[in-house]
Amino acid sequence: MQQYLEAGKVVTTHGVRGEMKLELWCDGVDFLKKTGRLYASAKGGKCYNITSIRPQGQMALLQLEGVNDMDAARALRGQVFYFDRSDATLPEGRWYVADLIGCEVRDADTGKVYGVVTSVDHPGAQDIYTVKSPSGREYMFPGVDAFLKERNPPEGYILVTPIPGLLDDDFDSEREEE
């Protein structure tokens, strides 16, 4: 599992005192406040202490230690920042999206392998998992308890109980027979 995970990307400056607008790629402002610092690369790199962060719509206004004017903030435009997973604590049973990507998706009852998770999106009330089957076809399913029975990234798998047609072509085959 990756040690440094994406927190967001600086999209522009804000004001003249070094604040930046950060496009959030994590759980939000409160989550980043708890981490307390950000890193300049996926391998760690330069560490910046967060001196302030607050929400602004879907973004965050971020102030980093040592970034005290517009020029310093402008130099970081386009910068992707990372947090160290050891600086954050997730509730029991929750996982980072980066940990779920690549997990094998198996049927909880039969053990059938449907494919691997290629993305997890957050368009609304629940996460949407995209699974690529061994044949290369992609399927999506909602990350809700009715389908998702177990997530175990350390072991590399997710157990699901899908309805016909959710992760395979069974439903389409039944319709063709009618």
Side-chain angles (χ1 to χ4, degrees), residues 1-5 85 95-96 98-101 103 152-156:
M1 291 192 208
Q2 298 168 283
Q3 186 64 32
Y4 297 93
L5 303 169
R85 76 169 51 239
W95 299 95
Y96 296 113
D99 298 339
L100 298 171
I101 303 297
C103 282
N152 193 333
E155 298 294 322

Side-chain angles (χ1 to χ4, degrees), residues 9-13 20-21 72-80:
K9 178 180 175 181
V10 175
V11 294
T12 191
T13 61
M20 298 164 279
K21 263 193 186 179
R74 189 177 292 128
L76 292 172
R77 190 171 35 203
Q79 172 70 51
V80 173

Side-chain angles (χ1 to χ4, degrees), residues 3 20 26 33 46 51 54 63 73 88 90 96 100 108 113 119 128-129 136 139 145 149 157 159-160 163 172:
Q3 186 64 32
M20 298 164 279
C26 62
K33 274 183 190 176
K46 183 174 180 180
T51 57
R54 62 186 195 278
Q63 180 81 54
L90 288 178
Y96 296 113
L100 298 171
V113 175
S119 71
I128 301 294
Y129 289 64
Y139 300 92
D145 291 343
K149 296 305 172 193
Y157 69 86
L159 296 180
V160 297
I163 58 174
D172 291 336

Side-chain angles (χ1 to χ4, degrees), residues 46-125:
K46 183 174 180 180
C47 178
Y48 294 89
N49 290 320
I50 298 172
T51 57
S52 74
I53 186 168
R54 62 186 195 278
Q56 186 187 48
Q58 298 298 315
M59 306 248 182
L61 294 179
L62 173 68
Q63 180 81 54
L64 298 174
E65 187 175 64
V67 181
N68 301 316
D69 59 41
M70 188 186 299
D71 291 333
R74 189 177 292 128
L76 292 172
R77 190 171 35 203
Q79 172 70 51
V80 173
F81 281 109
Y82 300 80
F83 66 92
D84 186 336
R85 76 169 51 239
S86 62
D87 290 339
T89 305
L90 288 178
E92 185 70 28
R94 299 271 319 265
W95 299 95
Y96 296 113
V97 169
D99 298 339
L100 298 171
I101 303 297
C103 282
E104 190 174 72
V105 178
R106 304 177 192 158
D107 191 294
D109 298 323
T110 67
K112 176 182 177 181
V113 175
Y114 292 107
V116 297
V117 175
T118 58
S119 71
V120 179
D121 298 305
H122 320 284

Side-chain angles (χ1 to χ4, degrees), residues 152-174:
N152 193 333
E155 298 294 322
Y157 69 86
I158 295 173
L159 296 180
V160 297
T161 54
I163 58 174
L166 189 65
L167 292 173
D168 56 33
D169 293 329
D170 288 348
F171 184 71
D172 291 336
S173 310
E174 290 171 12

